[in-house]
Amino acid sequence: MKNKVLITGSNGLLGQSMLKLLKKQANVNIYATGRGKDRFCENGYDYHSLDLTNEQEIDALIKKIQPNCIIHCAAMSKVEDCEDHQELAVKVNTRATEILADVAIKYGVDHFIFISTDFVFDGEKGIYKEDDERNPPNFYGHTKLQAENYLLKISDQLPISIIRTCLVYGQVKDMSRSNIMLWAKNQLTNHMPIKVVDDQMRTPTFVDDLAMGILFCMDKKAVGVYHISGKEVFTPYQIVMTLVKEYNLNSDLVEAVNASTFKEYGRRPLKTGFDISKAQQNLGYSPISFLEGMKQVIK
């Protein structure tokens, strides 16, 4: 009997990567949900437009599908939007997660996988482990922290995995947002000078690696918190300079600056990045190198 998997946020970068990966699994029936029309537009799954702030819609869909596993990728993830529209951010990131989990318990879902963020950490320490103290520096991180706390509270009623990730990059169909590599390559190819932050540390995550980590988690029914990211530490400036070197672009056009150079809503943590040893040991997770991931994105 095939495993029924429901993905929320299937129009996003991770959602589309998840669809691409799950379509290759012979033992899975895939159900995808997102806002508006399907942007992946392929065969091999059932797509349902879904308002995650509407409890009745969620209940009706899960009752109809009866999924074995829910992979909850959907989020309002732009930091500035969460600062400007805090009530909506709570509805989408926190309340929708609570509703989904409650409905999952109601209909006997076997496994609930929630995608969280490095922004639940304040960025003072860097290279965080799963059980390090959480202290979000912005409202986006706060909404994810509240969702995590709710899931941890009900984890005796529902098998739950919380997967935190960090600076996800990739390339999929009909992308609603660009990424630092595509932006920098476009600017430098057109001989435009750019300023890039060099005092924020991250472990950039290739989206297909993240999708694979989630699949491992699903297949093993691994519960608890897992950090899934790349294994190399970069600042945004180092990311761009890796691009410059690989594609023979003009390094004179790139200026390293501090994060304080840019006025931004919602403070970003300075040093995050993950210790991924738990995912490597328990899940068999093994990310590709950043250079290889970058080549795949640019290709």
Side-chain angles (χ1 to χ4, degrees):
M1 191 169 166
K2 287 192 174 184
N3 204 22
K4 293 182 181 179
V5 180
L6 174 68
I7 302 170
T8 71
S10 68
N11 284 328
L13 177 63
L14 175 57
Q16 291 193 40
S17 184
M18 227 42 253
L19 284 176
K20 184 174 66 176
L21 181 61
L22 286 174
K23 272 162 54 77
K24 298 173 183 174
Q25 312 303 309
N27 63 334
V28 173
N29 283 334
I30 311 163
Y31 301 85
T33 70
R35 282 187 305 170
K37 66 182 180 65
D38 180 17
R39 294 214 299 260
F40 191 62
C41 297
E42 290 189 10
N43 297 321
Y45 59 92
D46 288 339
Y47 180 82
H48 301 265
S49 180
L50 180 67
D51 177 2
L52 281 172
T53 66
N54 186 314
E55 189 168 353
Q56 286 72 34
E57 276 192 35
I58 292 171
D59 189 288
L61 185 63
I62 293 179
K63 182 181 181 181
K64 178 182 175 183
I65 293 171
Q66 297 283 322
N68 304 103
C69 178
I70 295 174
I71 303 173
H72 182 29
C73 306
M76 183 173 168
S77 59
K78 198 172 178 186
V79 170
E80 292 83 359
D81 288 350
C82 291
E83 296 292 331
D84 284 342
H85 308 285
Q86 295 192 358
E87 189 177 331
L88 181 60
V90 170
K91 275 185 181 177
V92 173
N93 292 344
T94 308
R95 184 66 190 129
T97 305
E98 294 171 354
I99 294 168
L100 270 169
D102 288 347
V103 175
I105 292 168
K106 179 179 176 182
Y107 292 110
V109 173
D110 297 330
H111 194 186
F112 188 94
I113 301 175
F114 173 64
I115 312 306
S116 192
T117 172
D118 59 325
F119 282 17
V120 298
F121 298 110
D122 59 20
E124 299 299 315
K125 171 180 171 287
I127 312 304
Y128 287 94
K129 293 188 175 183
E130 284 82 355
D131 56 358
D132 280 331
E133 182 183 355
R134 299 163 300 155
N135 183 29
N138 53 51
F139 199 75
Y140 166 60
H142 171 76
T143 62
K144 286 290 196 173
L145 173 69
Q146 294 304 313
E148 283 191 10
N149 285 345
Y150 185 78
L151 294 176
L152 292 168
K153 188 174 78 175
I154 63 163
S155 60
D156 59 334
Q157 303 172 63
L158 176 67
I160 289 171
S161 308
I162 294 171
I163 292 181
R164 299 195 192 112
T165 192
C166 177
L167 192 62
V168 181
Y169 66 93
Q171 176 78 303
V172 292
K173 297 178 184 179
D174 193 11
M175 284 175 63
S176 59
R177 288 160 67 177
S178 186
N179 61 55
I180 187 171
M181 283 162 261
L182 297 174
W183 167 76
K185 188 167 188 292
N186 181 61
Q187 294 291 102
L188 297 175
T189 301
N190 289 299
H191 312 292
M192 303 282 288
I194 58 175
K195 294 180 179 182
V196 190
V197 170
D198 197 30
D199 63 344
Q200 290 179 345
M201 283 170 35
R202 302 286 186 264
T203 44
T205 311
F206 183 47
V207 69
D208 290 356
D209 282 342
L210 175 56
M212 185 62 75
I214 293 167
L215 179 66
F216 290 158
C217 184
M218 183 183 83
D219 284 347
K220 292 177 182 288
K221 288 199 176 171
V223 297
V225 183
Y226 283 91
H227 283 177
I228 291 184
S229 74
K231 56 191 172 188
E232 300 156 279
V233 178
F234 286 87
T235 68
Y237 175 75
Q238 289 168 337
I239 288 173
V240 170
M241 294 311 290
T242 304
L243 177 86
V244 165
K245 183 178 177 184
E246 183 65 24
Y247 294 97
N248 298 311
L249 300 168
N250 185 356
S251 61
D252 294 337
L253 293 171
V254 186
E255 180 185 352
V257 297
N258 292 335
S260 57
T261 304
F262 301 106
K263 192 162 185 175
E264 58 186 9
Y265 291 128
R267 188 173 72 81
R268 268 74 169 172
L270 280 182
K271 294 184 291 185
T272 65
F274 287 149
D275 178 334
I276 59 170
S277 55
K278 181 181 175 184
Q280 288 172 312
Q281 290 161 14
N282 293 13
L283 304 179
Y285 174 66
S286 180
I288 62 175
S289 72
F290 174 74
L291 182 60
E292 181 55 38
M294 184 186 74
K295 286 178 182 176
Q296 291 201 35
V297 170
I298 298 299
K299 182 178 71 178

